[in-house]
Amino acid sequence: MIKVGLTGNIGTGKSTVARIFEALGVPVYHADHEAKKMLERESVKKDLLNKFGLDIFDQGKVDRKKLADLVFNDSEKLNFLNSIIHPLVKQDLEGFFNQMQHLPYVIQEAAILFESGFNKDFDNIILVISSDETANKRVMVRDGIRKMEVEQRRSNQWGQAKKIGLADFIIENNEEELLIPQVLKIHQTLMG
Amino acid sequence: MKLSLSEWIKENRDSGNINNRQQLYIFLICLLISIFIWFLVVLSKETYTTIDYPIVFKNNPENLILVNKPDSILSFRVASGGFELITLKYLTRKRPLLVELNKLDLVKEGNNFNSVYSTSKISKDIISKLNIAQEYISISPANIYFRFESLYGKKVKVLPRLKLDFARQFLLSDSLLVKPDSVMVVGPEKLLDQIKYIETIEKEVIQIDKSQTISTTLQLPENLQNIKVLPEEVEITLTVEKYTESTIKIPIVNTAKDYKIKTYPDFVVVTYLVSLENFNRVTEEMFTASVDFVENSSSNRLKVNLLHTPSFIKITKIEPEEVEYLLLKQ
């Protein structure tokens, strides 16, 4: 089984690409989604409470918006959060891979695959790219946030140029190039 | 050496010799006297001239309209002494001659009502005022011809012609209200048949930021001067509201019966203008976005259609307008 990492900076359209792979029958592990679920674990909540205090909690649950505002502006806090969540996600992912051993390939979607060093765990990396302008627009509409906030979040990610050199497959999601043919081409390659 | 008259006058005028100058003045005075005498001789002779009087037509007959263009100048060809003629032609005030159309004797011929008016009826008075023997006068034209047609009327719709320029964020919240929305046009039947509607004159209203009512006149089509419009003015009401721009994310639903279509993206972002009053009324449930799938289409993208939208908003943008798709087995 080939382990494929699917990554891309904020607003590039990773999720859309992941959904196309899913429609083709490829299992996709959504790391960011699973990471959010980890925030509900009692052990995680305890560590967050000790580090960030009660401010990030709302009725006993982690307020993800408040947490994001806190960590995206402070790299030390972001590193702390990653140090709690990443090992849990990695463990969960191993379980996912074990279940899918019979398939030709599986995909993990993650925003900070390179930044977290997880890329080494994959056989191939697919990188989704788009212009900052297009990506800004998508996130502003999706999350209802301002351009400045999108750029702030992007500043915690590596630049696209650096990632292009490390990726095995590049998908351009710029609204001019067709997305599905690019995905189909990669799918055929990975299926052998 | 011979000198021309102008050179001779110039030479004498500019010379310092007093005798030469006196000779020049005497010459000029004699010249003027000669011209005056010649003028008197000419004017004392009998001569011809034409004196024109304007004719005014009044009091149109009831339910009829004048459709031809009758002569509107009555010319008197007069023979008399020059002095008299100058007085008559240039110094006498020429009051317009009045013809009352409702007093004409009309003869029905087909659809028309015709009349021949002898100008002698109105020229008698002038001739007596001119104080010249009638045998020395000829009048043209001798007759004036009139052609009338019956008046018809019909109601036609008024179409407003406005160039509207709104201030930022202001738009019409309702269609233009024209009052009255139709007018009565009256005229010969043939001309009325050509009129399907009446437009207002073009008017530009700039920087509109509030509701308002504009009075404007109606514009008759060219070459239809015999048409009357009642009323000649209409009022146009513009109902204006302040709008704000907003966006909403709408999922694309699968409306195809025989196929399962997955679109990428699976939503569109709709940008719309909405009045402040209705801003909070807009919800996702009021919209339905769908794609048109045409079997055997070679296109890789499908156009997104909005099947339902609230009536009180104005859609300005749908993003993306087309989406990629996968056709899945049911």
Side-chain angles (χ1 to χ4, degrees):
Chain A
M1 184 196 70
I2 302 168
K3 294 176 187 172
V4 180
L6 172 64
T7 190
N9 280 354
I10 185 168
T12 51
K14 293 181 295 296
S15 301
T16 304
V17 171
R19 286 199 310 107
I20 300 173
F21 276 110
E22 281 177 322
L24 296 170
V26 180
V28 178
Y29 183 85
H30 298 277
D32 294 341
H33 178 69
E34 296 303 327
K36 282 171 192 166
K37 275 162 59 177
M38 300 299 173
L39 293 174
E40 302 306 317
R41 289 191 182 186
E42 288 304 320
S43 60
V44 174
K45 285 204 280 189
K46 195 177 166 189
D47 288 342
L48 293 178
L49 180 68
N50 289 337
K51 180 73 178 174
F52 302 130
L54 266 172
D55 287 352
I56 59 157
F57 287 89
D58 184 20
Q59 295 176 347
K61 287 184 175 179
V62 177
D63 185 327
R64 291 209 306 265
K65 173 89 171 62
K66 283 181 184 168
L67 181 64
D69 289 344
L70 190 73
V71 300
F72 279 123
N73 294 316
D74 188 326
S75 57
E76 188 266 326
K77 286 174 181 165
L78 182 63
N79 288 338
F80 173 78
L81 180 66
N82 287 341
S83 70
I84 298 171
I85 301 296
H86 286 174
L88 294 172
V89 173
K90 200 169 179 178
Q91 195 182 6
D92 193 52
L93 179 66
E94 287 304 323
F96 172 78
F97 283 157
N98 288 336
Q99 284 175 8
M100 305 295 164
Q101 282 296 334
H102 60 289
L103 296 170
Y105 76 98
V106 290
I107 290 177
Q108 185 208 333
E109 180 207 350
I112 50 166
L113 210 59
F114 290 114
E115 292 87 339
S116 60
F118 276 12
N119 60 311
K120 295 183 190 98
D121 298 340
F122 293 91
D123 302 309
N124 290 109
I125 301 290
I126 301 168
L127 175 68
V128 186
I129 58 168
S130 71
S131 70
D132 286 355
E133 193 189 341
T134 309
N136 286 350
K137 229 164 72 178
R138 285 192 195 120
V139 181
M140 284 157 71
V141 170
R142 185 189 68 198
D143 298 349
I145 57 174
R146 290 172 301 164
K147 188 180 169 186
M148 205 177 71
E149 290 173 271
V150 183
E151 285 171 347
Q152 175 65 42
R153 289 186 189 183
R154 187 182 294 115
S155 69
N156 290 311
Q157 300 178 328
W158 290 3
Q160 286 190 148
K162 189 176 176 181
K163 290 181 179 178
I164 286 169
L166 298 168
D168 300 293
F169 302 100
I170 309 289
I171 292 177
E172 278 188 59
N173 186 15
N174 54 15
E175 288 169 8
E176 285 160 19
E177 298 282 325
L178 288 168
L179 207 53
I180 293 173
Q182 295 182 72
V183 173
L184 285 175
K185 199 174 166 190
I186 295 169
H187 178 65
Q188 281 161 5
T189 307
L190 291 171
M191 290 293 280
Chain B
M1 190 177 67
K2 285 185 179 177
L3 289 173
S4 69
L5 180 63
S6 60
E7 283 169 337
W8 179 78
I9 291 171
K10 195 179 173 192
E11 196 178 288
N12 284 295
R13 188 189 64 198
D14 297 340
S15 75
N17 191 324
I18 294 169
N19 284 339
N20 283 355
R21 278 196 181 180
Q22 278 178 345
Q23 275 180 8
L24 173 65
Y25 293 146
I26 291 164
F27 169 76
L28 289 175
I29 289 164
C30 290
L31 183 67
L32 283 173
I33 292 168
S34 309
I35 291 168
F36 180 69
I37 292 169
W38 171 81
F39 194 64
L40 289 178
V41 170
V42 170
L43 287 179
S44 63
K45 288 180 182 172
E46 189 176 86
T47 186
Y48 287 91
T49 191
T50 303
I51 303 165
D52 292 335
Y53 276 79
I55 309 171
V56 174
F57 307 110
K58 284 182 79 174
N59 303 332
N60 210 59
E62 211 171 308
N63 299 325
L64 292 179
I65 186 160
L66 186 63
V67 290
N68 70 327
K69 277 192 175 175
D71 293 308
S72 57
I73 299 286
L74 193 60
S75 301
F76 293 84
R77 181 101 177 129
V78 177
S80 186
F83 288 111
E84 282 173 299
L85 291 182
I86 284 179
T87 310
L88 286 172
K89 194 169 174 74
Y90 302 108
L91 303 177
T92 308
R93 192 178 163 200
K94 295 173 194 71
R95 285 193 178 162
L97 303 169
L98 182 68
V99 175
E100 293 193 72
L101 299 179
N102 57 353
K103 290 181 180 167
L104 295 175
D105 295 324
L106 299 174
V107 178
K108 192 171 186 328
E109 288 175 23
N111 290 328
N112 298 333
F113 294 86
N114 299 333
S115 180
V116 181
Y117 183 83
S118 171
T119 52
S120 60
K121 291 176 189 171
I122 49 172
S123 57
K124 276 178 191 167
D125 186 38
I126 299 294
I127 292 165
S128 68
K129 279 181 186 162
L130 292 178
N131 202 20
I132 297 170
Q134 195 156 2
E135 54 266 31
Y136 297 114
I137 297 177
S138 68
I139 303 163
S140 172
N143 295 306
I144 303 175
Y145 298 91
F146 296 93
R147 194 169 80 245
F148 294 89
E149 277 185 23
S150 295
L151 275 179
Y152 293 87
K154 74 170 182 181
K155 268 198 158 188
V156 290
K157 205 161 178 56
V158 177
L159 298 184
R161 283 176 71 208
L162 294 178
K163 271 189 175 178
L164 303 177
D165 168 48
F166 293 93
R168 197 176 145 75
Q169 290 194 300
F170 286 88
L171 277 176
L172 282 179
S173 63
D174 204 350
S175 46
L176 296 176
L177 180 71
V178 185
K179 207 172 172 184
D181 62 352
S182 53
V183 290
M184 180 67 84
V185 284
V186 178
E189 197 173 16
K190 273 183 194 171
L191 294 183
L192 286 190
D193 287 346
Q194 298 174 34
I195 303 174
K196 307 293 177 208
Y197 56 86
I198 296 274
E199 288 184 322
T200 62
I201 57 162
E202 192 171 279
K203 211 164 195 176
E204 192 173 4
V205 194
I206 56 167
Q207 285 298 302
I208 305 166
D209 59 1
K210 58 176 181 287
S211 296
Q212 53 196 281
T213 299
I214 301 156
S215 285
T216 183
T217 49
L218 298 169
Q219 187 172 46
L220 270 177
E222 280 175 27
N223 71 23
L224 293 181
Q225 287 85 359
N226 278 333
I227 295 290
K228 274 194 174 179
V229 183
L230 296 167
E232 292 174 342
E233 245 187 35
V234 293
E235 285 186 339
I236 304 170
T237 302
L238 315 173
T239 313
V240 174
E241 266 191 76
K242 191 170 188 183
Y243 277 70
T244 187
E245 193 176 75
S246 189
T247 56
I248 192 164
K249 201 170 148 183
I250 307 295
I252 299 170
V253 295
N254 188 7
T255 53
K257 282 178 188 167
D258 305 324
Y259 304 95
K260 190 178 178 195
I261 300 171
K262 274 201 170 252
T263 64
Y264 301 95
D266 56 358
F267 64 88
V268 282
V269 176
V270 177
T271 306
Y272 58 91
L273 291 170
V274 61
S275 66
L276 295 178
E277 187 189 340
N278 291 321
F279 186 78
N280 290 325
R281 283 178 63 195
V282 182
T283 61
E284 189 188 306
E285 291 71 36
M286 293 174 166
F287 298 80
T288 308
S290 174
V291 284
D292 269 343
F293 174 68
V294 182
E295 209 168 341
N296 300 325
S297 164
S298 58
S299 174
N300 293 307
R301 289 188 167 118
L302 296 176
K303 191 177 182 326
V304 181
N305 297 314
L306 289 179
L307 302 181
H308 300 107
T309 58
S311 59
F312 52 85
I313 67 164
K314 284 182 173 62
I315 308 277
T316 55
K317 200 162 57 175
I318 302 170
E319 256 188 322
E321 289 178 356
E322 291 181 328
V323 289
E324 289 185 61
Y325 68 100
L326 284 176
L327 211 57
L328 304 176
K329 287 178 186 170
Q330 286 276 36

